[in-house]
Amino acid sequence: MRTDSRLSRMLHVLLHMARADLPMTSEQIAGMLGTNAAVVRRTMAGLRKAGYVQSDKGHHGGWRLARGLDRITLLDVHHAVGGPRIFAIGADRDNPDCAVERVVNAALADALQQAEALLVQKLGSVSLADLAGQFDALCRADAGARKHR
């Protein structure tokens, strides 16, 4: 089964946008992601509707951040891009006749509910500013390692 990478791809884009001096066009973003500009515009529309990005038309137009990285969480982006359910696994049938299947479904539902609550809490606690800080630290460490070779 193919994984849904919209969240990671849009986080990637948003962090690049934060470093860009000028707005990024749909074509530039599409080139970075290896997709086409129409897919970028469709995906970015959810981020624009949520107020995380803005788009400007015209000669120097493109996409840019509409708020600070500290005010956008990973969960915000997940919701804005219309991410799928957190987990794609679940019960085969909601109301089975078999008692064994009912017990199995109940156990799975409970485990998935707990796991989803934990993941949602974690995604909501990490901001794009946190990721940008980690990126900066990694770049400094890589530069230091190259300097000492």
Side-chain angles (χ1 to χ4, degrees):
M1 175 171 46
R2 186 166 183 249
T3 57
D4 186 308
S5 60
R6 285 178 288 181
L7 176 59
S8 65
R9 292 167 62 96
M10 286 302 104
L11 293 171
H12 182 164
V13 167
L14 293 170
L15 290 174
H16 275 288
M17 287 172 64
R19 299 287 195 256
D21 294 329
L22 298 171
M24 296 179 71
T25 66
S26 297
E27 290 75 18
Q28 289 171 314
I29 296 169
M32 182 179 15
L33 298 177
T35 190
N36 65 61
V39 170
V40 169
R41 285 188 288 275
R42 193 169 46 248
T43 306
M44 296 294 281
L47 292 166
R48 179 180 51 219
K49 183 177 179 184
Y52 306 132
V53 299
Q54 294 177 320
S55 61
D56 301 314
K57 297 183 188 299
H59 181 55
H60 291 288
W63 297 97
R64 60 187 169 84
L65 290 175
R67 63 171 65 172
L69 296 179
D70 60 328
R71 295 184 52 219
I72 306 170
T73 68
L74 278 60
L75 185 61
D76 293 333
V77 176
H78 170 72
H79 288 310
V81 300
R85 291 179 36 215
I86 296 289
F87 296 111
I89 59 175
D92 183 34
R93 293 180 285 163
D94 287 335
N95 297 307
D97 295 328
C98 176
V100 170
E101 194 167 350
R102 286 196 305 267
V103 170
V104 168
N105 288 354
L108 286 176
D110 183 52
L112 289 171
Q113 182 180 16
Q114 290 179 41
E116 184 171 348
L118 182 62
L119 183 56
V120 164
Q121 183 274 328
K122 180 63 177 177
L123 292 176
S125 71
V126 178
S127 72
L128 293 184
D130 296 329
L131 296 184
Q134 292 171 20
F135 168 74
D136 291 341
L138 186 61
C139 288
R140 285 191 302 273
D142 286 349
R146 281 193 300 274
K147 189 176 181 181
H148 296 295
R149 284 186 186 163

